[in-house]
Amino acid sequence: MSLNRSRIRTTVGTAAACASAAAAGVLAPAPASAASVALPPVHAGFDYQIGGAYTPPSGVGVVSRDHSASPAPGLYNICYVNAFQTQRIGDPGGPDDWDRDLLLKDGNGEVVIDPDWDEAILDITTDAKRQSIAHKIEAQIDECAAKGFNALELDNFDTYTRDVVKGAITDSHAQTYMRILSSYGHGKGLAVGQKNTVELAPNHAANGLDFAIAEECGDPEWNECSQYLSAFGDHAIFIEYTAAGMANACRYGDRVSVVQRDRDVVPEGHGGYLRKTC
């Protein structure tokens, strides 16, 4: 079961990403058109259920759930896929379930692990590896489509900014790989959301990304919500985990979907459950 993965900010990684984002604007457009896919309804009630599915509260029209779950009947459903990292060590889909050659290594030949999630970093640095990794992720996208989901949430687009990566993966690698997945998703009739990674939001059309799913854009330290709106218009969903972040995000609550959840996004009825709207 996937849990929330709030971004881990980095000083060096994020600066490098911002510096190189302009150069990424020359990327070729994603080969598959998004013209036939249906985007999430704008400013709809939203619930973030990637930590476990439950009956959506009254007024909710859009739900995001893990690919292992089933869609919520009668709603617009977004399918969560961890596309840039493995699952946790010891869990199904963890590092042991991947070809070691497809996992990023450090200078000593050891697999690079995201310490905040105990997940290995997928090595998307060559075309051959990107294709092999994408083939495995595409099986999860097939699952999303077969179950009747409407869209994809491809998580960890911003893995390249992690300190632990030490620049081995670049924003160019990430965008090239993302275009493979977005093209495949569009071919399955699914809209594709950009998860976080605000520095690449201006390139969303070239990367085949149709709408934004932004965690903590209202955090007073970052105040990024307006940047997503500049790129995506009102086709954005904001998820906050603090009262301060929620207060800032709700400045746009008359335009986009905004929800506050507990950091573990536990199902309703479990300890620690929190869900608030503007």
Side-chain angles (χ1 to χ4, degrees):
M1 179 180 294
S2 300
L3 295 176
N4 163 53
R5 52 187 69 255
S6 299
R7 87 194 73 189
I8 304 301
R9 293 286 180 161
T10 61
T11 301
V12 175
T14 302
C18 292
S20 58
V26 300
L27 293 169
S33 172
S36 62
V37 302
L39 273 60
V42 170
H43 190 223
F46 175 73
D47 200 13
Y48 205 39
Q49 297 189 2
I50 66 170
Y54 54 91
T55 301
S58 176
V60 168
V62 179
V63 171
S64 185
R65 290 179 171 177
D66 189 78
H67 68 91
S68 62
S70 295
L75 303 184
Y76 187 100
N77 286 269
I78 302 171
C79 192
Y80 173 96
V81 173
N82 186 3
F84 287 74
Q85 301 184 182
T86 71
Q87 294 302 98
R88 292 178 185 268
I89 295 172
D91 285 354
D96 289 343
D97 289 340
W98 282 82
D99 184 332
R100 185 179 171 85
D101 288 341
L102 300 180
L103 306 180
L104 188 69
K105 314 294 193 312
D106 62 19
N108 296 317
E110 298 297 321
V111 172
V112 177
I113 302 294
D114 179 343
D116 294 292
W117 296 100
D118 289 333
E119 297 173 350
I121 308 296
L122 298 175
D123 186 352
I124 56 171
T125 58
T126 71
D127 182 64
K129 290 182 179 182
R130 285 190 290 270
Q131 294 295 336
S132 294
I133 292 168
H135 182 71
K136 190 159 183 171
I137 297 299
E138 285 164 2
Q140 297 180 36
I141 295 175
D142 288 342
E143 182 181 10
C144 297
K147 288 182 176 181
F149 281 91
N150 306 100
L152 296 171
E153 175 184 353
L154 301 175
D155 200 12
N156 285 314
F157 190 22
D158 57 357
T159 290
Y160 71 94
T161 68
R162 310 272 195 266
D163 281 336
V164 70
V165 173
K166 297 182 178 179
I169 297 174
T170 68
D171 70 281
S172 180
H173 294 142
Q175 291 180 93
T176 300
Y177 171 62
M178 178 61 84
R179 293 197 304 277
I180 297 171
L181 297 182
S182 65
S183 176
Y184 190 84
H186 288 155
K188 292 291 180 177
L190 301 169
V192 185
Q194 174 170 320
K195 180 71 172 292
N196 300 328
T197 328
V198 70
E199 59 271 20
L200 298 184
N203 300 333
H204 73 91
N207 291 326
L209 300 170
D210 308 308
F211 64 98
I213 302 178
E215 292 177 296
E216 300 185 289
C217 70
D219 187 307
E221 186 173 358
W222 314 118
N223 282 319
E224 295 172 341
C225 295
S226 64
Q227 296 179 58
Y228 285 104
L229 297 185
S230 293
F232 290 92
D234 293 347
H235 292 287
I237 295 169
F238 296 159
I239 304 158
E240 299 296 331
Y241 302 106
T242 67
M246 188 65 171
N248 282 337
C250 281
R251 293 167 54 200
Y252 309 97
D254 61 340
R255 297 177 55 184
V256 303
S257 303
V258 183
V259 70
Q260 182 181 352
R261 286 299 326 265
D262 54 280
R263 285 197 176 275
D264 289 332
V265 285
V266 298
E268 185 177 20
H270 288 60
Y273 170 84
L274 173 69
R275 181 182 183 273
K276 293 182 179 180
T277 58
C278 296

